[in-house]
Amino acid sequence: MRVAVMTAPGQVHVEDRPEPRIVEPTDAIIRLAATCICGSDLWPYRGVEPVDEPRPMGHEYAGIVEEVGPAVTTVRPDQFVVGSFFASDNTCEICRSGYQSSCVRREAAAPGGAQAERMRVPLADGTLIATPDLPADDLVPSLLAASDVLGTGWFAAVAAAAGPGRTVAVVGDGAVGLLGVLAAQQLGAERIIAMSRHKSRQKLAIEFGATDIVTERGDAGVAAVKDLTDGLGAHSVIEAVGTQESMMQAIHATRPGGRVGYVGVTHNVALPGMELFFSHVHLHGGPAPVRRFLPDLIDRIWTRRIDPGKVFDLELPLDQAPEGYRAMDRRDAIKVLLRP
Amino acid sequence: MRVAVMTAPGQVHVEDRPEPRIVEPTDAIIRLAATCICGSDLWPYRGVEPVDEPRPMGHEYAGIVEEVGPAVTTVRPDQFVVGSFFASDNTCEICRSGYQSSCVRREAAAPGGAQAERMRVPLADGTLIATPDLPADDLVPSLLAASDVLGTGWFAAVAAAAGPGRTVAVVGDGAVGLLGVLAAQQLGAERIIAMSRHKSRQKLAIEFGATDIVTERGDAGVAAVKDLTDGLGAHSVIEAVGTQESMMQAIHATRPGGRVGYVGVTHNVALPGMELFFSHVHLHGGPAPVRRFLPDLIDRIWTRRIDPGKVFDLELPLDQAPEGYRAMDRRDAIKVLLRP
């Protein structure tokens, strides 16, 4: 089968690899209806994370179950399923508390890559959710988005306690940040400030529910958020980038007692203790426990209350994955959907 | 009047200074019944914070109102009052959200020092709480403790969401850590792990409600907490030291999805982004909004449900403040009460 493989920073190609097989009795094999390129795939692409050996890429997936191991009970062949990028048993104490992405049995959900024709998903019962029926074609991008980028934006909004009466600021106008806007809107936030300097992304942020746009970054961006919030800062700030500058921008844009939900993978970040101490913010984030939110997210998509699939502004055949990486790296595309 | 002044690291003496006077119409003048030395006073004493000019010391206080400015309406002369170490208006949006120590009009509550015979307290209405009557002598140490060290331990326990069904670990066996134990017990925590290697402090921790003692520090301390919690870590961890080691010990001792409440002033601390990200903890802390908790704390003390004054294991006349600093610096005393 065909799978996208990264061999070095900037080097992705699509090659033939053996078909995945059931390894553990809790595994499932899925034929992918759609997959995509994640902002986090750009870290190794840009050389920020090492690429020590050829790496099959991708961890976002939606598709049809082809086969399940003998211990799998909640999904069966021919069902359409969506899953999280971390496999979880969904039964341990950590999972039951809603942190499935720190499950005591956590492992990668796509050990052989998800930018592929087929994939093996471990711990299928604790990881996958079947849709009510086979989805209409136009729902597939949104269901795929639930696998990571929507679930991650949603977790950030929940971690930041976005909700009624609250002003939410969003640092980062990638797909996660934009879906953080959507999540904040769905959670009932009163005001949503999207921080973006790109017209097409501003437009999508407004479609998703942003009420204000701030184009400045860093200290100027913080000042602009304070100007919009009586000098106090936002109640809730979603951080969806993961750099030192973006983390400090998020912390400084939050009012004392407010909440930062951070989901950008924090590469080369060191948070200064005294600034954090006197900021008085709540800080919570990490790898999104997408599984916690999946049943609700699938329902919102299925009933067409949300259309997160709009973040895919470029669709390519899987074999053109290298072009997809280039488009996202250059920020020509917000997010690239790949059709196996 | 007499006041303790620090002139350089390790150098404290008691000198005569002018009596405090009403400066703003919102001020009150208090005659101190008792004051004390704070763990945070040891930072400049040990040279970790600079002492650029002679500094009147102390910010913890309880005593009798002698005079109030014309705008003060909620306290009056001859009342016994307790206040927070930060003055606050208690009316701004930040105060109303419970973060009085980040009040938009915040200022030091003891601009002329509180290790003194008398002090001026700004924003008296928003800062001070009067007790129901003049207190019995034996209640005075506990009421004094409410001014900072109890309120700070309480905030840490609340920030860490200590409560029924939860296991709480406490990093730091100073007065704040010990009162964090007491707070966790009062808030209904199921299990309270005190981390201490000092017999006298362990004993007090157990009196305050600790169910387990861990004597190890650093990675060994984390391993011991995990051994006590099915390998998962505590639900709630109180950090009451403020060093890099203690912060990382607190973060690592917390289970994914758990909460760290940190109140040790974080000197020279830099939190590594990736460790924080994958820890999945909630992090909240900063200067305790003692004013939020004062009415409740005073009530618990007044009705003799708690006796936080037990943390004072050395009592000295104000003029012997230098000996008090030496005793706390050497850790011979947990906390020193000074009688003006």
Side-chain angles (χ1 to χ4, degrees):
Chain A
M1 65 155 191
R2 305 290 285 167
V3 55
V5 174
M6 190 179 294
T7 51
Q11 298 298 318
V12 172
H13 67 271
V14 179
E15 66 180 38
D16 282 313
R17 290 210 167 190
E19 293 289 337
R21 298 269 171 257
I22 298 287
V23 177
E24 300 289 336
T26 46
D27 287 348
I29 303 296
I30 295 173
R31 185 175 75 250
L32 287 139
T35 179
C36 53
I37 302 172
C38 183
S40 70
D41 294 332
L42 296 181
W43 291 107
Y45 191 80
R46 290 170 173 166
V48 180
E49 271 177 25
V51 184
D52 296 329
E53 53 182 351
R55 189 198 291 191
M57 298 300 294
H59 51 263
E60 297 163 277
Y61 56 96
I64 303 283
V65 178
E66 290 205 323
E67 187 184 355
V68 297
V72 174
T73 61
T74 64
V75 294
R76 58 177 188 277
D78 300 326
Q79 282 187 319
F80 190 94
V81 293
V82 185
S84 162
F85 54 94
F86 271 126
S88 54
D89 64 18
N90 208 31
T91 59
C92 76
E93 197 169 333
I94 301 301
C95 281
R96 280 184 280 126
S97 76
Y99 286 85
Q100 290 91 342
S101 44
S102 280
C103 170
V104 299
R105 295 177 66 200
R106 176 180 84 173
E107 56 183 300
Q115 290 163 11
E117 291 178 283
R118 287 181 181 74
M119 64 183 284
R120 175 175 76 87
V121 180
L123 300 171
D125 279 337
T127 306
L128 300 173
I129 299 279
T131 54
D133 205 337
L134 293 184
D137 281 350
D138 68 327
L139 287 183
V140 170
S142 287
L143 291 166
L144 172 64
S147 177
D148 177 350
V149 73
L150 172 62
T152 295
W154 202 274
F155 172 55
V158 168
R166 292 176 71 93
T167 295
V168 180
V170 181
V171 178
D173 63 358
V176 171
L178 292 166
L179 291 172
V181 170
L182 176 66
Q185 184 272 331
Q186 288 285 304
L187 293 166
E190 183 171 306
R191 192 171 188 181
I192 303 169
I193 303 167
M195 306 187 82
S196 173
R197 53 178 65 181
H198 297 89
K199 284 284 173 208
S200 63
R201 292 163 191 247
Q202 293 172 3
K203 185 168 166 285
L204 193 48
I206 288 166
E207 272 187 65
F208 281 156
T211 55
D212 299 85
I213 300 287
V214 161
T215 56
E216 295 87 349
R217 283 191 191 180
D219 290 345
V222 169
V225 171
K226 292 206 169 174
D227 279 349
L228 291 169
T229 54
D230 297 327
L232 301 177
H235 300 94
S236 303
V237 177
I238 291 172
E239 196 288 332
V241 182
T243 62
Q244 183 75 22
E245 186 194 21
S246 64
M247 282 295 282
M248 297 317 298
Q249 184 176 326
I251 290 166
H252 291 152
T254 308
R255 68 180 56 197
R259 290 169 193 265
V260 176
Y262 69 102
V263 290
V265 182
T266 43
H267 289 81
N268 307 317
V269 167
L271 300 181
M274 291 299 256
E275 269 185 76
L276 197 60
F277 187 84
F278 285 102
S279 75
H280 249 158
V281 303
H282 297 72
L283 195 61
H284 184 48
V290 173
R291 182 63 180 74
R292 188 204 309 178
F293 307 110
L294 264 184
D296 176 44
L297 299 182
I298 289 173
D299 185 60
R300 287 174 197 258
I301 293 165
W302 198 261
T303 54
R304 298 183 181 273
R305 283 178 286 158
I306 57 174
D307 190 1
K310 284 182 183 171
V311 293
F312 296 108
D313 56 349
L314 178 61
E315 187 174 323
L316 295 170
L318 174 61
D319 274 330
Q320 290 177 34
E323 178 47 34
Y325 276 82
R326 278 191 292 273
M328 278 184 63
D329 180 42
R330 290 189 306 249
R331 303 203 94 203
D332 290 343
I334 297 173
K335 195 165 175 76
V336 177
L337 185 142
L338 299 172
R339 293 277 182 185
Chain B
M1 65 154 191
R2 306 290 284 165
V3 55
V5 174
M6 190 179 295
T7 52
Q11 298 297 318
V12 173
H13 67 271
V14 179
E15 68 179 36
D16 282 314
R17 291 212 166 187
E19 293 288 337
R21 298 270 171 256
I22 298 286
V23 178
E24 300 289 337
T26 46
D27 286 349
I29 304 295
I30 296 173
R31 184 173 77 250
L32 287 139
T35 180
C36 53
I37 302 172
C38 183
S40 71
D41 294 333
L42 296 181
W43 291 107
Y45 191 79
R46 290 172 173 164
V48 181
E49 270 177 25
V51 184
D52 296 328
E53 53 183 351
R55 187 197 293 191
M57 298 299 294
H59 53 263
E60 298 163 276
Y61 57 96
I64 303 283
V65 177
E66 290 204 323
E67 188 185 355
V68 296
V72 174
T73 61
T74 63
V75 295
R76 57 177 188 276
D78 301 326
Q79 282 186 319
F80 190 95
V81 293
V82 185
S84 162
F85 55 95
F86 271 125
S88 54
D89 64 18
N90 208 31
T91 58
C92 77
E93 197 170 332
I94 301 299
C95 282
R96 281 185 280 126
S97 76
Y99 286 84
Q100 290 91 342
S101 44
S102 281
C103 170
V104 298
R105 295 177 66 201
R106 177 180 83 173
E107 55 182 301
Q115 290 162 12
E117 292 178 284
R118 287 181 181 74
M119 64 184 284
R120 175 175 77 86
V121 180
L123 301 171
D125 279 337
T127 307
L128 300 172
I129 298 281
T131 55
D133 206 337
L134 292 183
D137 281 349
D138 69 328
L139 287 183
V140 170
S142 286
L143 291 166
L144 171 64
S147 177
D148 177 351
V149 72
L150 172 62
T152 295
W154 202 275
F155 173 55
V158 169
R166 290 175 70 93
T167 294
V168 180
V170 181
V171 178
D173 62 0
V176 172
L178 292 167
L179 291 172
V181 170
L182 177 65
Q185 184 272 330
Q186 288 284 304
L187 293 167
E190 182 171 307
R191 191 172 190 183
I192 303 170
I193 304 167
M195 306 187 83
S196 173
R197 52 179 65 181
H198 298 89
K199 283 284 172 210
S200 62
R201 294 164 189 247
Q202 292 172 3
K203 184 167 167 287
L204 192 49
I206 287 166
E207 273 186 63
F208 281 155
T211 55
D212 299 84
I213 300 288
V214 161
T215 56
E216 294 87 349
R217 282 191 192 180
D219 290 345
V222 169
V225 171
K226 292 206 169 175
D227 279 349
L228 292 169
T229 53
D230 297 328
L232 300 178
H235 301 93
S236 301
V237 177
I238 291 173
E239 196 287 333
V241 183
T243 62
Q244 184 75 23
E245 187 193 21
S246 64
M247 283 295 282
M248 296 318 297
Q249 184 176 325
I251 291 167
H252 291 152
T254 308
R255 69 180 56 197
R259 289 170 193 266
V260 176
Y262 69 103
V263 291
V265 183
T266 42
H267 289 80
N268 306 319
V269 167
L271 299 181
M274 291 298 258
E275 270 185 74
L276 197 61
F277 187 84
F278 284 103
S279 75
H280 249 159
V281 302
H282 297 72
L283 195 62
H284 183 48
V290 172
R291 182 64 180 75
R292 187 205 309 179
F293 307 111
L294 265 184
D296 176 44
L297 299 182
I298 290 173
D299 185 61
R300 287 174 197 258
I301 293 165
W302 199 261
T303 54
R304 296 182 182 274
R305 282 178 286 158
I306 57 174
D307 190 1
K310 284 183 183 168
V311 294
F312 295 109
D313 55 350
L314 179 61
E315 187 174 323
L316 295 170
L318 175 60
D319 274 331
Q320 291 177 33
E323 177 48 33
Y325 276 82
R326 279 191 292 274
M328 278 184 62
D329 179 41
R330 289 190 307 250
R331 302 203 96 203
D332 290 343
I334 296 173
K335 195 166 175 74
V336 177
L337 185 142
L338 300 172
R339 292 276 182 186

